[in-house]
Amino acid sequence: DTGVSQDPRHKITKRGQNVTFRCDPISEHNRLYWYRQTLGQGPEFLTYFQNEAQLEKSRLLSDRFSAERPKGSFSTLEIQRTEQGDSAMYLCASSLAQHAGNQPQHFGDGTRLSIL
Amino acid sequence: QKEVEQDPGPLSVPEGAIVSLNCTYSNSAFQYFMWYRQYSRKGPELLMYTYSSGNKEDGRFTAQVDKSSKYISLFIRDSQPSDSATYLCAMSEMDTGRRALTFGSGTRLQVQP
């Protein structure tokens, strides 16, 4: 399978714990994006990387959230001191960078986070 | 008011019907328009990707963009029960450097056999 891969698919944790998710993009894609989706809503943008550089962050990305893409390949998203409101599906997407224009983003199947 | 508005449905149609899904938007900087299909507990799957105003056809799907009215549509011909899913419109800006997609809230479609 050459699509976007996310791990784990489902994470259940207690409030206050830290969690980390991993995303492996499509191999030739140099842009990687994180989104959050709650029930009945469309995905909301969190942040994106071009190669290893984090170029854009949403105001939704509070200081409890941190994302990394250390070698420009896979990425991790960490949430510290989880809260009930963090329960959501966390989606990763990837795309090719072009000199001009936006290439379409391809999504993984997400990590569903449930906070007890 | 949200930047992208989409009727949540649900929309129920008989098999074989033509389905029309729509979104309106307010941000004039949106220049790229996409439609995604999302099945339950899965990620969004790209169906259509357009840049300019006008129509784009791919099999049973036709995407239509009217930038003057800030209105986009997706038509599904000969709808099948397997088309039952949530359909998300998404848009992104051009010339601003922003790469984020802004999504509608999704329309849930049910195709009855």
Side-chain angles (χ1 to χ4, degrees):
Chain A
D1 185 10
T2 58
V4 177
S5 176
Q6 292 189 246
D7 184 69
R9 291 295 314 278
H10 195 181
K11 179 72 176 177
I12 302 172
T13 192
K14 293 182 179 179
R15 183 169 54 91
Q17 297 295 304
N18 299 343
V19 293
T20 300
F21 312 138
R22 177 181 169 122
C23 172
D24 287 89
I26 294 171
S27 59
E28 64 269 26
H29 285 182
N30 49 4
R31 284 186 181 153
L32 185 148
Y33 312 78
W34 286 100
Y35 291 81
R36 180 173 68 187
Q37 185 177 25
T38 54
L39 199 62
Q41 300 297 316
E44 294 177 296
F45 172 76
L46 293 177
T47 189
Y48 105 91
F49 293 83
Q50 181 156 321
N51 300 312
E52 65 275 8
Q54 189 173 17
L55 297 184
E56 188 177 349
K57 291 195 288 188
S58 162
R59 57 183 169 78
L60 291 176
L61 208 68
S62 76
D63 56 5
R64 296 185 298 105
F65 287 69
S66 62
E68 294 183 342
R69 195 183 183 199
K71 296 182 180 179
S73 57
F74 74 91
S75 175
T76 58
L77 177 69
E78 181 183 17
I79 309 174
Q80 296 182 327
R81 306 180 304 281
T82 52
E83 302 173 355
Q84 291 284 351
D86 297 331
S87 294
M89 173 85 91
Y90 290 84
L91 293 162
C92 177
S94 69
S95 72
L96 273 173
Q98 274 193 328
H99 176 68
N102 286 340
Q103 286 297 300
Q105 298 177 25
H106 298 269
F107 284 80
D109 282 336
T111 294
R112 182 174 299 277
L113 175 63
S114 300
I115 307 297
L116 299 178
Chain B
Q1 187 182 2
K2 293 184 178 181
E3 280 189 292
V4 180
E5 297 282 354
Q6 185 174 11
D7 188 330
L11 179 62
S12 183
V13 301
E15 183 175 355
I18 295 175
V19 176
S20 173
L21 304 166
N22 312 291
C23 288
T24 59
Y25 63 96
S26 57
N27 184 352
S28 298
F30 287 146
Q31 298 290 328
Y32 295 92
F33 305 92
M34 286 134 278
W35 285 94
Y36 287 86
R37 177 174 64 194
Q38 187 172 29
Y39 293 111
S40 180
R41 299 188 179 277
K42 303 285 276 184
E45 172 193 2
L46 182 67
L47 287 176
M48 300 290 282
Y49 172 73
T50 58
Y51 167 63
S52 58
S53 284
N55 293 355
K56 181 177 180 180
E57 189 173 320
D58 184 0
R60 296 186 295 114
F61 299 94
T62 299
Q64 197 171 75
V65 174
D66 182 349
K67 289 183 181 177
S68 63
S69 300
K70 296 188 177 69
Y71 187 87
I72 70 169
S73 300
L74 178 71
F75 298 97
I76 307 174
R77 289 181 298 282
D78 187 26
S79 55
Q80 302 295 311
S82 58
D83 294 327
S84 298
T86 296
Y87 289 79
L88 296 156
C89 63
M91 312 176 185
S92 65
E93 298 178 1
M94 184 179 175
D95 299 331
T96 63
R98 293 196 67 231
R99 307 299 176 191
L101 293 179
T102 301
F103 282 85
S105 57
T107 299
R108 192 154 57 92
L109 171 67
Q110 296 172 336
V111 181
Q112 307 293 340

